[in-house]
Amino acid sequence: MPDYLDDLRLAHALADAADAATTARFQALDLKVETKPDMTPVSEADKAAEELIRARLQHARPEDAVLGEEYGVEGTGPRRWVVDPIDGTKNYVRGVPVWATLIALMEEGEDGFQPVVGVVSAPALGRRWWAAKGHGAFAGRDLASGLPIRVSRVGRLADASFAYSSLSGWEEQGRLDGFLDLGRQVWRTRAYGDFWPYMMVAEGSVDICAEPELSLWDMAANAIIVTEAGGTFTGLDGRPGPHSGNAAASNGLLHEELLGHLGPRR
């Protein structure tokens, strides 16, 4: 089995470059922000970071395909880099430090494309998380200083911390009743939002999290980090991996109960 460590080192270098670009424009008074057709914001920093990552991948891995939030897919083949230049753009443009660059490498196999490398870098928080298939998950400021991370061992919903992004999406999909019922049964709920709940699941500080509507670039890096930390990452339909258009992540022990509340539409 490939060890993917060269790809992981490259992903860190890409994250370093993106961090420099995004932090340079964070809280800039002249930051340019546009509204995309789906009514979500995109800043000049989103575009610049993705352009930078694409250029470096073209030099370092010219045979690999790239899929990014801002510029779509380029190239074909059994390996595909998936990039969200700024996950949490709404936070970024308002000066909230909860945002990150998400970089994943996906490789084609018997079950289609699955993530084998993931880096989530949140420079405004001073944190970074990463994983490579078969090598575990880590957190720290950089590759040299990383420490292993592991999901929690909480086995009862009554003791669990549940993280999410917002209520509106659950309501729009007819899943709000299940969401609220789950919230009543757990020990604690918090709306941290975006990438952070998944990283907290991987670290063991949160036990379950879910979102009702996502794109592949929102999930690919998170999925490999959660699973390499010993957790479970599926869609709300229970399908393993980041392909369902939504996500449920847990320490594994609570996953069936999580899906039992949020999987079926109510």
Side-chain angles (χ1 to χ4, degrees):
M1 184 179 73
D3 64 19
Y4 301 110
L5 294 182
D6 283 344
D7 295 309
L8 180 61
R9 283 187 282 268
L10 173 58
H12 273 274
L14 298 173
D16 289 341
D19 285 356
T22 53
T23 55
R25 298 298 292 154
F26 183 51
Q27 298 182 319
L29 296 178
D30 61 344
L31 181 72
K32 296 178 181 178
V33 182
E34 303 171 1
T35 301
K36 295 191 286 189
D38 63 0
M39 301 307 293
T40 61
V42 57
S43 74
E44 63 181 83
D46 291 81
K47 295 180 177 180
E50 184 169 326
E51 289 168 356
L52 179 61
I53 291 170
R54 284 176 177 272
R56 297 200 174 204
L57 283 171
Q58 178 59 36
H59 176 75
R61 297 287 191 275
E63 295 182 357
D64 292 351
V66 182
L67 170 66
E69 178 176 10
E70 307 308 334
Y71 295 106
V73 64
E74 181 179 2
T76 59
R79 288 165 46 100
R80 176 180 293 178
W81 294 85
V82 180
V83 178
D84 189 342
I86 298 179
D87 182 55
T89 299
K90 292 178 181 178
N91 284 343
Y92 184 88
V93 301
R94 289 295 301 271
V96 178
V98 183
W99 50 271
T101 295
L102 279 54
I103 300 170
L105 172 62
M106 302 186 72
E107 197 168 74
E108 191 173 18
E110 294 181 358
D111 298 323
F113 280 91
Q114 294 296 336
V116 294
V117 168
V119 172
V120 172
S121 189
L125 296 176
R127 298 297 307 279
R128 184 177 290 186
W129 302 262
W130 61 91
K133 185 177 180 179
H135 290 276
F138 298 82
R141 289 189 174 272
D142 53 44
L143 188 58
S145 63
L147 296 175
I149 56 176
R150 193 74 183 171
V151 296
S152 75
R153 298 298 299 168
V154 173
R156 296 197 319 149
L157 278 182
D159 300 323
S161 180
F162 170 41
Y164 61 97
S165 287
S166 67
L167 294 176
S168 59
W170 299 104
E171 185 173 28
E172 290 166 3
Q173 292 197 6
R175 302 178 192 262
L176 185 58
D177 288 347
F179 176 90
L180 294 174
D181 187 49
L182 176 61
R184 295 183 188 104
Q185 295 193 38
V186 298
W187 167 64
R188 192 169 192 252
T189 61
R190 285 294 183 273
Y192 300 108
D194 300 305
F195 68 94
W196 209 4
Y198 303 96
M199 299 303 98
M200 290 181 179
V201 168
E203 290 180 320
S205 55
V206 162
D207 310 298
I208 54 177
C209 70
E211 289 182 88
E213 186 174 4
L214 293 166
S215 297
L216 182 59
W217 47 76
D218 298 312
M219 298 182 283
N222 295 337
I224 182 67
I225 294 171
V226 168
T227 55
E228 283 294 318
T232 300
F233 190 105
T234 72
L236 296 176
D237 56 4
R239 179 186 178 190
H243 294 289
S244 298
N246 46 49
S250 75
N251 62 6
L253 300 175
L254 298 170
H255 207 77
E256 288 189 14
E257 290 181 273
L258 174 63
L259 295 181
H261 284 85
L262 300 181
R265 295 175 184 266
R266 302 187 176 191

